[in-house]
Amino acid sequence: VIIFPSRITLARINREKSDLARFETQLKQLRKVPAETMDGFRITLAANIEMPEDIPSVIAHGGEGVGLYRTEYFYLNRTDVPDEEEQFRAYNRVAKKLKPDSVIIRTLDLGGDKFNSALEIPPEINPFMGWRAIRFCLERQDIFKTQLRAILRSSCQKNVKVMFPMISGFSELERILKIWEETKDELKRKGVPFYPDMEVGIMIEIPAAVVMADVLARQVDFFSIGTNDLIQYTLAVDRVNEKIAYLYDPLNPAVLRFIRQVINIGHQNNIWVGMCGEMAGDLLSVPILLGLGLDEFSVSPVLIPEVKKVINSLHLSEVRQLAQAVLQHRSADKIRTEVKKLLRQVAPIMLEREEQKR
Ligand code: PEP
Ligand code: MG
């Protein structure tokens, strides 16, 4: 708050205000433009959502479908558990509204930082490493199968994909895929329709899954990298602990090496690789991710225009070079300097905005 601003201060602020308005109008104009580099390389830029009410924002910001539909919000702030019909209605509504763009529904990821009082998940010392997500679903198969039935029924729209979170290895995935097939058989026997060619993917957010990516890739149709968790587990930095937030760095070379590994292994096994963690919307990470060959970025709807503006200012050839170069560096600071150098040349306004945010 500036008390009794001088004429000069007022003039400066008004100037900044109109610059910002002009810039935001420019971003809005990108709504119908595809996310494509200057040399014609097209990627999918999708949105992360939490409920059907988020759809207008996805459309308004020009999102190409949904790369992460976090379904746990159904289960929060209530004392009961949502039934199949309630879930089906929501999934079906989202799929129908966004057709023909894809909608990736992530199965329940409760626990960690998300709880429901009806499910009596006991307090744990390390909830992020505890009884959460798929570990909970494997034990509460009644709840899990209810959700899988709702997802399968919504697949009749033909643009729905399913994704399992917190996969830590092959045997766990095998158990999940067995339940998935059983649920399909049960629906078939009852004559309930679903789309049989629906894509099935997993989130890569545990270091063990990165190490085993070649084995996991043979079981699924796609990977989506969940950097919010992958960074915390890789660097042993609790994602909600402000005291050590300075260590939580997407540009840490260890994180980048893991991401490179997942993308390369995915492609070697002919599956596509996306990212739905916050890193996909981090403007300094975007050029590197693009250069590493990420196929899909899924970010919060409000970030879509900014991410698109950065992608559309870059050449694939230059970001490939950048990715190769930064992966030789030993520190995040050096990597950051190199990305900024490129952004200063090709998207100076975006860099300025990014620096103001920090
Ligand atoms: C992630 O871990 O990156 C992710 C997208 O999942 P969540 O933030 O819901 O744990
Ligand atoms: Mg996660």
Side-chain angles (χ1 to χ4, degrees):
V1 174
I2 302 170
I3 300 166
F4 300 129
S6 67
R7 270 169 196 273
I8 297 170
T9 307
L10 269 179
R12 178 178 55 82
I13 288 172
N14 278 327
R15 211 169 38 243
E16 282 174 6
K17 201 171 137 192
S18 57
D19 283 353
L20 184 65
R22 201 170 326 116
F23 180 66
E24 285 186 341
T25 313
Q26 270 180 25
L27 285 186
K28 273 201 194 115
Q29 286 162 355
L30 285 177
R31 196 168 79 86
K32 295 225 161 98
V33 173
E36 186 176 295
T37 59
M38 304 280 281
D39 45 354
F41 180 70
R42 182 112 159 61
I43 57 109
T44 305
L45 181 51
N48 292 350
I49 66 162
E50 278 144 19
M51 49 193 86
E53 288 70 22
D54 294 331
I55 302 170
S57 177
V58 177
I59 295 169
H61 291 95
E64 287 176 276
V66 167
L68 167 63
Y69 182 173
R70 285 189 167 95
T71 55
E72 40 291 346
Y73 287 87
F74 255 131
Y75 295 76
L76 302 180
N77 300 321
R78 62 193 285 172
T79 49
D80 60 348
V81 176
D83 64 14
E84 182 182 321
E85 214 43 48
E86 181 183 349
Q87 294 189 61
F88 165 70
R89 276 198 304 273
Y91 304 154
N92 197 48
R93 189 169 142 207
V94 174
K96 211 168 168 177
K97 281 257 163 72
L98 294 175
K99 237 166 42 176
D101 291 332
S102 299
V103 173
I104 303 180
I105 304 178
R106 176 177 76 181
T107 61
L108 188 56
D109 188 23
L110 273 187
D113 55 353
K114 313 169 194 104
F115 295 98
N116 165 294
S117 47
L119 295 175
E120 291 172 2
I121 298 178
E124 296 174 330
I125 295 179
N126 276 321
F128 274 114
M129 293 204 244
W131 190 44
R132 61 173 288 204
I134 213 71
R135 301 162 182 190
F136 168 86
C137 289
L138 281 171
E139 211 168 306
R140 291 297 308 265
Q141 290 189 21
D142 51 333
I143 292 175
F144 190 36
K145 278 191 160 183
T146 303
Q147 179 173 41
L148 297 184
R149 280 195 300 274
I151 295 173
L152 275 162
R153 284 172 57 198
S154 71
S155 72
C156 288
Q157 301 293 345
K158 298 202 174 149
N159 58 337
V160 174
K161 300 175 184 174
V162 68
M163 164 163 94
F164 301 109
M166 288 290 291
I167 298 299
S168 67
F170 175 75
S171 306
E172 194 175 45
L173 178 59
E174 209 177 28
R175 285 181 68 195
I176 292 158
L177 294 177
K178 188 164 166 266
I179 298 172
W180 174 247
E181 290 305 320
E182 269 168 28
T183 314
K184 288 206 290 199
D185 288 343
E186 283 159 18
L187 288 186
K188 236 183 264 170
R189 273 201 301 278
K190 284 191 195 145
V192 179
F194 60 88
Y195 181 53
D197 296 329
M198 180 175 176
E199 280 189 34
V200 175
I202 56 171
M203 288 189 68
I204 300 289
E205 48 186 347
I206 296 183
V210 177
V211 174
M212 298 302 287
D214 57 330
V215 170
L216 301 175
R218 287 180 217 123
Q219 310 297 316
V220 293
D221 301 306
F222 66 91
F223 284 158
S224 183
I225 308 174
T227 48
N228 304 343
D229 279 315
L230 185 62
I231 296 171
Q232 79 162 343
Y233 298 134
T234 304
L235 304 177
V237 180
D238 186 337
R239 66 193 249 188
V240 292
N241 186 337
E242 283 182 26
K243 187 100 180 129
I244 48 168
Y246 72 98
L247 288 171
Y248 189 97
D249 191 344
L251 297 185
N252 182 300
V255 172
L256 294 180
R257 283 187 187 197
F258 263 0
I259 292 169
R260 173 178 62 180
Q261 194 172 326
V262 175
I263 296 173
N264 289 347
I265 291 175
H267 290 171
Q268 281 156 18
N269 286 279
N270 302 316
I271 64 170
W272 63 268
V273 182
M275 179 179 287
C276 59
E278 303 294 319
M279 184 176 177
D282 171 48
L283 299 190
L284 295 187
S285 302
V286 169
I288 302 175
L289 297 173
L290 199 58
L292 289 175
L294 193 73
D295 301 292
E296 179 235 35
F297 291 63
S298 189
V299 305
S300 156
V302 291
L303 292 177
I304 290 172
E306 292 182 35
V307 172
K308 197 186 282 182
K309 177 94 183 146
V310 171
I311 291 171
N312 292 15
S313 316
L314 294 161
H315 284 84
L316 187 62
S317 48
E318 70 193 351
V319 287
R320 278 194 178 143
Q321 262 177 16
L322 173 83
Q324 260 199 347
V326 298
L327 270 133
Q328 308 295 322
H329 293 325
R330 292 176 293 187
S331 78
D333 285 346
K334 259 198 120 179
I335 295 172
R336 195 165 278 110
T337 307
E338 193 135 344
V339 182
K340 282 187 180 179
K341 203 166 108 195
L342 175 64
L343 285 181
R344 199 164 289 119
Q345 286 164 17
V346 300
I349 300 173
M350 300 311 294
L351 178 63
E352 202 179 301
R353 268 171 80 88
E354 187 58 23
E355 284 178 332
Q356 276 165 6
K357 277 191 220 158
R358 282 163 194 259

